[in-house]
Amino acid sequence: MSIEAIFALLISTTMVYSAPLIFTAIGGTFSERGGIVNVGLEGIMVMGAFSSVVFNLSFAKEFGAATPWLGLLVGALVGALTAAVHGVATIFLRADHIISGTVINLITPALGVFLIKVIYNKGQTDMIQQNFGYVDVPLLNKIPVIGNIFFHNTSAPAWVAVIVAVLAWFLLYKTRYGLRLRSVGENPQAADTLGLNVYGLRMSGVLLSGILGGIGGAIYAESVALNFGAATIAGQGFIALAAMIFGQWNPLGAMGAALFFGLSQSLAVIGAQLPVIKNVPSVYLAIFPYVLTVIVLSVFFGKVKGPKADGINYIKSV
């Protein structure tokens, strides 16, 4: 295999596995920049994956190749509803953020499998026929060398994720809404004094995390797993959480970290084809992303500086 073919395979697979992580990590960034810790990203991805697969199986004949993209919208809606539960619990009922997110993570896989059993009378769905697959980017794939490496047989959702990351950075750091959201995550008392709606802004951040996390789960289900079962989403939400922290609660940083974790996941899939690591036992490559996640969370969680009021409930004084 030539060097160019190796890079093309590596980057193409990395983009596929990175796309769900980019969306979900950016979603977590919005929530935590508003002061709401969202460890429920895993559960939100589960519901996004579940709803998109059910939609895909139900309407593939009607919508054809557009079905996976419409599945993203369904995943976004269901993800937002799931995140809304977390938002209501933490913002209005003042629940502990970690406990609320953990409950979502525990309930959603069981709920998804239960609903699949009710709908299809079996433990997991059939494979979807309409999936994202691999596409070429028109014109750009004609560029010598670079076109073959980056824009041939690539993941369309991954390039959308890159665009979303840039837009999220602009929204968070260059707009009035972003400034206000960050202010309620840093000092909600001061923001309230200035007349900002702390509860509303925090809820908007949580809902954005649900929309983007639901899309992340839908992309994973419709580009990698291709069905839904109990193990469809197995740790991707926690990896996205690690990417958010590794990226220091910045959309572009989260995207870079998600690409790094996506690379580690892709090695487990294509490692046997790469001359440098093909002799490494597959079990080590399979567990590598999760070991890496634990290391990143252990090393960086206590050292990086997140929003000051992240995880602290705000009680409006009269």
Side-chain angles (χ1 to χ4, degrees):
M1 184 180 290
S2 67
I3 294 294
E4 182 180 328
I6 291 174
F7 273 108
L9 175 63
L10 194 59
I11 290 174
S12 174
T13 314
T14 297
M15 295 297 280
V16 169
Y17 282 88
S18 298
L21 302 180
I22 293 173
F23 273 102
T24 309
I26 293 173
T29 299
F30 275 109
S31 179
E32 303 217 0
R33 277 295 178 184
I36 303 299
V37 172
N38 195 347
V39 298
L41 294 174
E42 176 87 357
I44 292 171
M45 287 188 75
V46 169
M47 295 313 294
F50 159 77
S51 57
S52 64
V53 168
V54 171
F55 175 84
N56 196 306
L57 290 171
S58 302
F59 296 100
K61 290 183 179 177
E62 284 78 6
F63 297 113
T67 308
W69 294 100
L70 295 174
L72 296 191
L73 300 179
V74 176
L77 176 61
V78 175
L81 292 174
T82 307
V85 175
H86 182 58
V88 170
T90 54
I91 298 170
F92 298 104
L93 302 180
R94 301 166 192 169
D96 183 277
H97 299 198
I98 302 298
I99 293 176
S100 175
T102 301
V103 169
I104 289 176
N105 289 338
L106 292 175
I107 287 178
T108 49
L111 177 62
V113 173
F114 171 74
L115 293 175
I116 291 298
K117 181 72 175 176
V118 171
I119 299 171
Y120 300 105
N121 196 30
K122 50 188 176 183
Q124 67 180 35
T125 68
D126 295 331
M127 303 296 284
I128 59 174
Q129 300 303 313
Q130 294 290 343
N131 59 69
F132 285 113
Y134 293 86
V135 298
D136 290 349
V137 179
L139 299 179
L140 295 179
N141 66 330
K142 303 296 183 184
I143 302 173
V145 183
I146 293 177
N148 189 42
I149 292 176
F150 290 97
F151 304 111
H152 174 63
N153 269 346
T154 189
S155 166
W159 287 107
V160 174
V162 172
I163 295 171
V164 168
V166 175
L167 294 176
W169 176 85
F170 184 84
L171 179 63
L172 205 50
Y173 291 101
K174 298 296 179 182
T175 67
R176 181 178 297 179
Y177 167 77
L179 177 62
R180 290 178 173 180
L181 182 66
R182 286 185 288 125
S183 70
V184 301
E186 294 288 339
N187 192 331
Q189 181 69 54
D192 195 2
T193 304
L194 293 172
L196 299 183
N197 184 341
V198 176
Y199 293 165
L201 284 165
R202 284 189 160 189
M203 193 67 186
S204 70
V206 174
L207 291 176
L208 282 172
S209 76
I211 291 170
L212 295 172
I215 290 176
I219 290 176
Y220 190 87
E222 296 185 294
S223 62
V224 179
L226 306 184
N227 71 348
F228 180 82
T232 298
I233 301 297
Q236 282 76 24
F238 296 112
I239 295 175
L241 187 68
M244 177 196 69
I245 295 170
F246 199 25
Q248 300 192 30
W249 293 268
N250 181 309
L252 296 181
M255 178 185 69
L259 287 168
F260 177 66
F261 283 109
L263 171 63
S264 69
Q265 287 188 300
S266 70
L267 290 178
V269 179
I270 62 171
Q273 303 178 55
L274 301 179
V276 179
I277 61 173
K278 64 180 180 181
N279 294 325
V280 176
S282 59
V283 64
Y284 293 125
L285 294 176
I287 66 173
F288 178 62
Y290 303 101
V291 173
L292 189 62
T293 301
V294 172
I295 292 173
V296 167
L297 288 175
S298 302
V299 173
F300 289 93
F301 188 68
K303 295 181 180 179
V304 293
K305 200 172 182 180
K308 290 181 181 177
D310 194 17
I312 301 175
N313 287 330
Y314 176 67
I315 302 174
K316 184 179 178 65
S317 57
V318 180

